[in-house]
Amino acid sequence: MKIVVLKFGGTSVGSTDRIKKVSKIIISYIKKKYKVIIAASAMSGVTNDLVKKSREISNDFKSDEYDVLLSSGEQMSCALIAGRLNYLGYKSRSWLGWQIPIVTEGDFSAARIKNIHKKNIINYLKSGGIPVVAGFQGVNSDYRITTIGRGGTDASAIMLAKFFKAKKCIIYTDVDGVYTTDPNTIKKAKKIKVISYEEMLEMASLGAKVMQPHSIQDARLNRVDIDVRSSFKRSKGTLITKRKNISTNKIIRGVSFTKNDAKVTLVGVKDKPGVAASIFEPLYKNSINVDMVVQNISSNGKETDLTFTINSEDLFKTEKLVKNNKKINFRKIVVDKKVSKLSIIGVGMITTPGVTYRMFNALAKKNINIIVISTSEIKISVLLNKKDLKKAVDALHKEFKLEK
Ligand code: ADP
Ligand code: ASP
Ligand code: MG
């Protein structure tokens, strides 16, 4: 069977008009003799609205019910797509995660797909039907509904492609591919024709929302090639694939940034062994992800300042945990939500000296202050004041000739 998995994101199914448009895209593949499996997101705004409603009900909404609530948006979009295909004379039905079932493991809101049962979908495809599968959701071994992280329909599509051995996995979204940086922020951003899993994973993890990071990990592990395209206009998109299938002379592939970081500084922390572990233990136990960390060298051998960044949504909880932590002593806690993390990504930096210097020099020339730095083999990240972000992205885009 020549199977293709088509994923439609929130904006692509954001209104009944849009659903009529994507139904035409789906039919174009049927006409090309593909067996089509759809992975659909909730209509744009719906999942955010459900999050808001949960907060109005309780600021401590139980995680199992939270997943039942958040997964409900996909039920609506799937039924609307199947309904439109039926109207146009095609056999189609919706499939929720538990009906297939798509089996997940791991915590609520952050579960991962372990298995997808194939029999019913295969039979349906053979009978000429178009299954419309709800993305973002699954069911765990206790028969509870789970979700797989915000933006998770990307991962649903990739796992469907894996389990059904699809010839193609196409991610239809509201931009026509992966760009050197967010094209909605930087007009000079350029479309990337082919990118490796490794670079895409870093770009996504460091803020390029176009693909969910977990989905790229799944694609890399299972060697699923991904084609990212626009559901709004016909044009060639971006292929995400193995590194050895790519030839490029670019040192840096892209610039990613986040807008929701917060910085926490503990001033005057007693400088003794184990203190950093004592600070981070309660954060880890409360699933708060600490990102960048710097500790200043103690000037008097007794006290030091320690700075770290977290997602700004976790700021309130973090402040509370730090203040209530009996194992540590410090003089003052200072928090700042007006920061952004900016990163350059590219496998070329492994073999090219001077990338760090060029990045810092380009920022210095624009008078942009760097607050924290962190690096890995294929990325360099800096923390900046949010007000400098756009200027900084522009400067780095230019420095590494990304618009060429
Ligand atoms: P969907 O609802 O289809 O899943 P998302 O909103 O999750 O779509 O992702 C698409 C958005 O990602 C684009 O509208 C764009 O603003 C943003 N984006 C951020 N960085 C990039 C990038 N490097 N390339 C393309 N889009 C990006
Ligand atoms: N509807 C979910 C979300 O908004 C999943 C997705 O869109 O991929 O996060
Ligand atoms: Mg998305």
Side-chain angles (χ1 to χ4, degrees), residues 7-12 41-42 44 151 153-154 171-185 189-190 192 200 203 207-212 228 254-257:
K7 180 255 173 175
F8 295 99
T11 323
S12 299
S41 291
S44 56
T153 306
D154 293 333
I171 304 291
Y172 277 100
T173 181
D174 57 5
V175 282
D176 64 347
V178 178
Y179 278 68
T180 49
T181 190
D182 187 346
N184 289 327
T185 308
K190 250 200 121 190
I192 301 172
M200 188 67 238
M203 279 188 68
K209 192 183 166 223
V210 62
M211 290 299 298
Q212 190 218 29
V228 183
V255 180
S256 285
F257 50 86

Side-chain angles (χ1 to χ4, degrees), residues 5-72:
V5 173
L6 309 179
K7 180 255 173 175
F8 295 99
T11 323
S12 299
V13 296
S15 64
T16 47
D17 270 346
R18 290 296 317 154
I19 286 178
K20 289 177 186 172
K21 296 243 161 61
V22 304
S23 299
K24 285 192 185 149
I25 297 178
I26 296 168
I27 291 166
S28 73
Y29 285 89
I30 297 288
K31 289 191 170 149
K32 282 187 243 160
K33 303 278 179 262
Y34 278 104
K35 297 284 183 195
V36 182
I37 302 176
I38 306 302
S41 291
M43 296 167 89
S44 56
V46 168
T47 314
N48 283 345
D49 191 46
L50 294 167
V51 171
K52 196 165 147 254
K53 286 195 167 70
S54 77
R55 290 197 182 131
E56 283 163 16
I57 291 293
S58 155
N59 58 13
D60 197 17
F61 210 92
K62 269 188 71 206
S63 58
D64 45 6
E65 285 312 319
Y66 186 74
D67 278 16
V68 176
L69 178 70
L70 255 64
S71 65
S72 64

Side-chain angles (χ1 to χ4, degrees), residues 33 43 51 69 71 82 86 90 118 138 144 187 189 204 214 218 242 253 286 299 307 313 320 331 333 344 365:
K33 303 278 179 262
M43 296 167 89
V51 171
L69 178 70
S71 65
N86 292 158
Y90 291 83
K118 286 163 60 176
R144 295 302 313 253
K187 290 290 161 253
H214 282 317
D218 290 336
K242 286 192 275 283
R253 286 306 231 141
N286 282 275
S299 54
T307 296
E313 278 184 14
K320 218 163 108 187
R331 269 189 283 126
I333 176 168
I344 56 173
K365 278 201 276 188

Side-chain angles (χ1 to χ4, degrees), residues 235-301:
S235 60
K236 245 179 143 13
T238 298
L239 178 69
I240 307 171
T241 186
K242 286 192 275 283
R243 198 196 296 182
K244 70 172 200 285
N245 299 349
I246 304 168
S247 74
T248 175
N249 52 5
K250 287 259 171 8
I251 304 166
I252 298 304
R253 286 306 231 141
V255 180
S256 285
F257 50 86
T258 60
K259 288 180 180 160
N260 55 350
D261 279 298
K263 172 169 75 88
V264 179
T265 303
L266 303 186
V267 181
V269 182
K270 288 268 171 300
D271 195 14
K272 58 176 185 196
V275 67
S278 305
I279 293 170
F280 294 127
E281 187 187 2
L283 305 186
Y284 148 72
K285 286 193 171 150
N286 282 275
S287 305
I288 294 171
N289 196 19
V290 175
D291 184 15
M292 305 169 106
V293 182
V294 278
Q295 184 180 329
N296 291 344
I297 292 172
S298 170
S299 54
N300 57 7

Side-chain angles (χ1 to χ4, degrees), residues 288-327:
I288 294 171
N289 196 19
V290 175
D291 184 15
M292 305 169 106
V293 182
V294 278
Q295 184 180 329
N296 291 344
I297 292 172
S298 170
S299 54
N300 57 7
K302 289 184 195 139
E303 280 185 347
T304 179
D305 298 344
L306 189 129
T307 296
F308 58 92
T309 64
I310 47 168
N311 191 307
S312 54
E313 278 184 14
D314 293 328
L315 184 57
F316 180 71
K317 208 164 162 190
T318 301
E319 270 191 274
K320 218 163 108 187
L321 288 166
V322 170
K323 283 178 185 162
N324 293 339
N325 187 343
K326 299 263 177 319
K327 287 195 190 158

